[in-house]
Amino acid sequence: MAAELSPQQLSETHRPTLDQALDAIGTRAYWSPHPEHPKAYGEGGAPGSLGPAEGKAAFDAVLNTRLDLGQPGTDGWTGGETSPYGLALGVEYPHADPDVLLPAMTAGMGAWREAGPETRALVCLEILSRISARTHELALAVMHTSGQAFLMAFQAGGPHAQDRGLEAVAYAYAEQVRTPLTADWSKPQGKRDPLKLSKSFTAVGRGVSLLIGCNTFPTWNSYPGIFASLATGNPVLVKPHPRAVLPLALTVRLAREVLTEAGFDPNLIALAAERPREGIAKTLALRPEVKIIDYTGSTAFGDWLEANARQAQVYTEKAGVNTIVIDSTDDYRGMLANLAFSLSLYSGQMCTTPQNLLIPRGGITTDAGDKSYDDVVTDIAAAVTGLLGDDARAGALLGALVNPDVKARVDGAAELGEVALPSRTVANADFPDAVVRTPVIVKLDGTKQDDGAAYLSECFGPVSFAVAVESTADALALLRRTVREKGAMTVGAYTTSPEVEREVEDVCFEEAAQLSLNLTGGVYVNQTAAFSDFHGSGGNPAANAALCDGAFVANRFRVVEVRRQA
Amino acid sequence: MAAELSPQQLSETHRPTLDQALDAIGTRAYWSPHPEHPKAYGEGGAPGSLGPAEGKAAFDAVLNTRLDLGQPGTDGWTGGETSPYGLALGVEYPHADPDVLLPAMTAGMGAWREAGPETRALVCLEILSRISARTHELALAVMHTSGQAFLMAFQAGGPHAQDRGLEAVAYAYAEQVRTPLTADWSKPQGKRDPLKLSKSFTAVGRGVSLLIGCNTFPTWNSYPGIFASLATGNPVLVKPHPRAVLPLALTVRLAREVLTEAGFDPNLIALAAERPREGIAKTLALRPEVKIIDYTGSTAFGDWLEANARQAQVYTEKAGVNTIVIDSTDDYRGMLANLAFSLSLYSGQMCTTPQNLLIPRGGITTDAGDKSYDDVVTDIAAAVTGLLGDDARAGALLGALVNPDVKARVDGAAELGEVALPSRTVANADFPDAVVRTPVIVKLDGTKQDDGAAYLSECFGPVSFAVAVESTADALALLRRTVREKGAMTVGAYTTSPEVEREVEDVCFEEAAQLSLNLTGGVYVNQTAAFSDFHGSGGNPAANAALCDGAFVANRFRVVEVRRQA
């Protein structure tokens, strides 16, 4: 079949974007080719993109259908997702026999390898642009699987996820072209003729790359691994979380279309949806064909993968305990507002949401006067209450609880300590079945640092702890211990003291944690921007990889050298 | 203490070399700043370098002494190396208490981190230049621990090892400066003020890096890991093979001197010599302070490290079975001469020495007429015999057997099959106690591909197998199986057929093996040149890393971002 998308056409369309992405990861200034505003799509917006109504229609059209991806080895159908907003999606996905599907996925590797790094990158960019055009549809798919509010599902699940995918492509491309395709080597031999060799260097993929998706960020946490592996020559098997299949199934469908149009084997990407309680991730992770695994989820399964999937390169993002050190501030109101937003966004169901607020029990100095520990806790609670006072606004910020386990943790929080801010049930006018709860803040005594202290475990969801510590020095010691033992995706600190600032930095350097200092405006500790911010460090127990850096891509391929006498 | 080596001084001396190295790894053309010829050192040669007599005097002066490195935690002394040439070295090395030494090694990490990637790289280059100046001394230390002949010990243990160290520094530097030190980030917000952050990015080392050296190439196989880790901000604990301590002890001494002169903590590098049968590698590898391990040695211990040292990034070079496919040639004499040299160099004790010569039993076509399987084997044997006919010349090529296990394998080879070329004992006039043996070639039937076939295990040393196969297609199948199951550092092939060439390439692409095609001149399959050739691929069981590429350095450090509201 003649390719409908020629390399030249791909290059004209996407090479400038690739170059801009390569530039952005070098400068780390702000950049994104994917507009954040919903109105930027559809009529008058990005060419060929679906507008709000079209996206909604596309989403509705896929509900209660069988999504046939035309994959080899389909031995049945599975599905059964229910939206955290109450809607039963009713979509059926192919169930795969790995004995048939995995060999079929490796069949196209040779042509994909021969295409070379640039063509692979450009095909990935075409896939991303198709995804971008359907952002409205994907936003609804993300919303109705993760429970994110619409605007967040749109932005985090759309342009921000696409940015992270593009960033991974840029890193993958840059890493592969560090070595030239060919070299002439001539070694002087004094008076004799030089020794001469002609050499070629080929980036070769390792084998099937398994993506194990999560419930809360089905696209954002998956696109980096998917695109890093595809761009480095590997087929990608996408195993979504069973409660968040649709966004990745739609992604796989678009990717298979583009691969076909560009003349490659569509089986270079495939979906592995599972039957209820089938637990296929464990089976797939140990298959000899699987050479790379990207995983986001629980520490227990992440640790299991690292220990057992020894035939694969394993990239994990697991649980962590994120800390905010509150030492002092010259913008007390700004700090309160910023923290209230961070605790509330998506009901605290982000891997980057702060959990432990470490506050000296002697209080802190601020531009609004000295504040006791109780003042600070009360004021944060009031800021959250103020932010979420209106149900409609609260719902747009909180989204819905993703599963009953999160609700159980909210309900059980009062048993952990004195409740400084109780959780409130919020009604969602559009989706009465949605479970929407405001954050709960619990006061804990951090002066003893017991091994069994509640604040030393991740309590995923809208539960945070106002931990009273003896001093800022003790806060730093607890921060260090928490990051070292439990890991952290984010650390925040508020201080007006250059010395304290330096001390917090040192802890973060020594324990490899990403630090946000004195955020009081419209940037929040739980948000990272592709091309500029690293998500995680890969150097503490919360994650063994960062999004995105050289290490995330460099071992997904190997360089095979062929040398010949010249 | 004021630094005797200022950053400016280091920059003036070494920045041009670093830039050339960075250029070389990008073009992969021939380059080296370290002269190969022994006469290039000493009077009239490289400034400040020791000439042959001075190097010999320095080596002699260290024999039968206690090499006190001034390390913390020294709780005794150990030694007892005997040269494969018969000489008892009589050098005593510090034995370390890891409970004291390891914490002392991490104490200097902060200042080393703050120095930044460029200063770290330049300090590493200063260490390498001090090593280079003492190449004559190091060459004797390598010769009398590995059993390499002098010229090989000089070149492979000197300039080639230094090249590999410098290459690792260049990769480490390049990887760290991909991310800028700071960035201003400004995100447009429509009519509102943009969101602004100022960001800093700091490369932070992971922790103590443990180098586990090998007997045969104490410097060449160690310098990449040592310098990659040091340049990325990690202290390095050097655990030499107990029979090859001296070259690394001298290296550590020079490195500690340079670190001190540059104002850094000398304990950023230290030696961990062990008592007989102490087996400290296992203990050290599991220490929580150890975050990186570089290892060259047996598959069994390499696999153990990968499985058990879970707190560390583990880079291993293990055993492999290297194959040459002989399909056809247009330079039969060149092929025979090239193979004879490859089999003989350092008595086949290189991880890159060919072991299995796969030859169709129906024979091959050559420019000297058709040759039967027996012809080819006989002619290779005759080429080896011719090359090694003179004892002095043979000794200069073969060196000495490194240990009794290698001798036992030579002696036992006849039990494996029909001997096509028996091993001959060579007398070494200078060192009568040296055990010097020419290679043995054994004929084996490769048409059955039994699981237990001798050619499917590494037989380290001067033993190779002339394996009769049905056809070139079968040779390729056996090559694929061998690389996939046993790993390979090198693959060679001789063919005049473009189709066969393409098929061999495909096997090497698919199994990630480094391929040399039709070598008939002065380049040998077992030699790789830094800055141009990759040593191993990191993609088959022989090694999980290649020397040197981005993956070898990218995970030795992490980037910690600190962001502040601007």
Side-chain angles (χ1 to χ4, degrees), chain A residues 25-31 36 113-114 160 171 174-175 178-180 182-189 195-197 199-202 204-206 303 306-307 310 338 501-502 505-506 508-510 512-529 532-534 536-539 544-546 549-551 554-555 558-565, chain B residues 25-31 36 113-114 160 171 174-175 178-180 182-189 195-197 199-202 204-206 303 306-307 310 338 501-502 505-506 508-510 512-529 532-534 536-539 544-546 549-551 554-555 558-565:
Chain A
I25 62 176
T27 66
R28 308 201 82 80
Y30 172 78
W31 180 73
E36 271 185 331
R113 176 182 73 236
E114 283 168 25
H160 298 174
Y171 269 99
E175 193 67 35
R178 289 175 82 169
T179 305
T182 60
D184 291 321
W185 182 86
S186 175
K187 180 176 178 180
Q189 296 292 294
L195 296 172
K196 289 191 175 187
L197 293 174
K199 304 181 177 186
S200 72
F201 303 93
T202 304
V204 303
R206 283 185 170 273
D303 288 347
E306 291 173 20
R310 306 292 314 288
N338 190 282
E501 203 169 296
R502 171 65 191 241
E505 282 186 288
D506 277 347
C508 290
F509 290 149
E510 288 162 19
Q514 307 298 12
L515 173 63
S516 295
L517 276 169
N518 297 316
L519 296 186
T520 54
V523 175
Y524 305 96
V525 67
N526 24 359
Q527 296 178 321
T528 63
S532 184
D533 294 323
F534 292 103
S537 77
N544 77 359
D549 63 9
N555 230 341
R558 300 283 73 214
V559 174
V560 171
E561 175 183 353
V562 180
R563 53 185 194 172
R564 297 170 167 83
Q565 229 155 260
Chain B
I25 61 174
T27 66
R28 307 201 83 79
Y30 171 78
W31 181 72
E36 271 185 332
R113 176 182 72 236
E114 283 168 25
H160 298 173
Y171 269 100
E175 194 67 35
R178 289 175 82 170
T179 306
T182 59
D184 291 321
W185 183 86
S186 176
K187 180 176 177 180
Q189 297 291 294
L195 297 173
K196 288 190 176 189
L197 293 174
K199 305 180 178 187
S200 72
F201 302 93
T202 304
V204 303
R206 285 184 168 272
D303 288 348
E306 292 173 19
R310 305 293 313 289
N338 190 282
E501 202 170 297
R502 171 65 192 244
E505 284 186 289
D506 277 347
C508 290
F509 291 148
E510 288 162 19
Q514 307 298 13
L515 173 62
S516 296
L517 275 170
N518 298 316
L519 296 186
T520 54
V523 176
Y524 305 96
V525 67
N526 23 359
Q527 296 177 321
T528 63
S532 184
D533 294 322
F534 293 103
S537 77
N544 77 0
D549 63 9
N555 230 342
R558 301 284 70 215
V559 174
V560 171
E561 176 184 351
V562 180
R563 53 184 194 172
R564 298 170 166 82
Q565 228 156 261

Side-chain angles (χ1 to χ4, degrees), chain B residues 49-385:
Chain B
S49 61
L50 303 187
E54 295 161 305
K56 175 77 165 58
F59 173 75
D60 288 343
V62 84
L63 297 179
N64 303 305
T65 64
R66 175 172 285 184
L67 204 79
D68 189 348
L69 298 169
Q71 293 182 180
T74 298
D75 62 7
W77 301 89
T78 183
E81 296 152 288
T82 298
S83 165
Y85 291 97
L87 189 69
L89 303 192
V91 186
E92 282 193 325
Y93 308 98
H95 183 275
D97 174 356
D99 289 334
V100 178
L101 181 58
L102 287 170
M105 292 183 72
T106 56
M109 277 185 81
W112 192 233
R113 176 182 72 236
E114 283 168 25
E118 186 182 25
T119 295
R120 284 196 294 272
L122 298 173
V123 170
C124 287
L125 263 63
E126 175 66 20
I127 297 170
L128 283 164
S129 80
R130 302 275 178 105
I131 292 169
S132 173
R134 301 184 77 91
T135 296
H136 270 286
E137 178 189 18
L138 265 303
L140 289 165
V142 170
M143 174 181 172
H144 283 292
T145 49
S146 70
Q148 290 176 24
F150 175 78
L151 189 63
M152 180 169 175
F154 187 92
Q155 295 185 336
H160 298 173
Q162 296 150 22
D163 282 349
R164 282 286 179 203
L166 175 55
E167 179 188 53
V169 174
Y171 269 100
Y173 172 78
E175 194 67 35
Q176 292 171 88
V177 300
R178 289 175 82 170
T179 306
L181 291 175
T182 59
D184 291 321
W185 183 86
S186 176
K187 180 176 177 180
Q189 297 291 294
K191 291 172 188 167
R192 287 172 292 151
D193 287 341
L195 297 173
K196 288 190 176 189
L197 293 174
S198 68
K199 305 180 178 187
S200 72
F201 302 93
T202 304
V204 303
R206 285 184 168 272
V208 174
S209 184
L210 175 66
L211 184 288
I212 304 175
C214 67
N215 198 171
T216 46
F217 287 91
T219 56
W220 198 98
N221 274 80
S222 300
Y223 284 4
I226 290 174
F227 286 99
S229 279
L230 208 50
T232 48
N234 305 283
V236 179
L237 182 58
V238 177
K239 205 299 284 176
H241 190 282
R243 300 166 63 101
V245 183
L246 186 56
L248 290 175
L250 295 173
T251 299
V252 169
R253 183 165 70 175
L254 290 169
R256 289 175 63 88
E257 283 172 15
V258 171
L259 285 164
T260 303
E261 289 175 36
F264 296 101
D265 189 335
N267 297 321
L268 287 168
I269 188 165
L271 187 76
E274 63 191 312
R275 301 201 177 96
R277 288 167 302 283
E278 192 182 11
I280 56 169
K282 271 199 174 184
T283 312
L284 293 174
L286 300 182
R287 290 284 302 210
E289 299 94 337
V290 170
K291 299 295 190 187
I292 300 169
I293 298 174
D294 287 277
Y295 167 78
T296 309
S298 72
T299 295
F301 191 57
D303 288 348
W304 183 90
L305 286 170
E306 292 173 19
N308 292 283
R310 305 293 313 289
Q311 86 291 355
Q313 306 288 320
V314 179
Y315 304 89
T316 58
E317 184 184 321
K318 302 173 285 189
V321 175
N322 302 320
T323 296
I324 306 279
V325 173
I326 302 179
D327 168 77
S328 52
T329 179
D330 57 10
D331 182 1
Y332 189 58
R333 287 176 57 118
M335 179 185 87
L336 297 173
N338 190 282
L339 285 175
F341 189 95
S342 282
L343 298 177
S344 303
L345 185 63
Y346 187 29
S347 312
Q349 298 171 123
M350 301 176 72
C351 57
T352 50
T353 303
Q355 174 178 304
N356 295 343
L357 314 174
L358 309 189
I359 308 163
R361 70 173 172 190
I364 65 169
T365 60
T366 82
D367 59 315
D370 289 354
K371 301 290 177 184
S372 70
Y373 164 81
D374 280 331
D375 291 339
V376 176
V377 178
T378 304
D379 292 344
I380 294 172
V384 172
T385 303

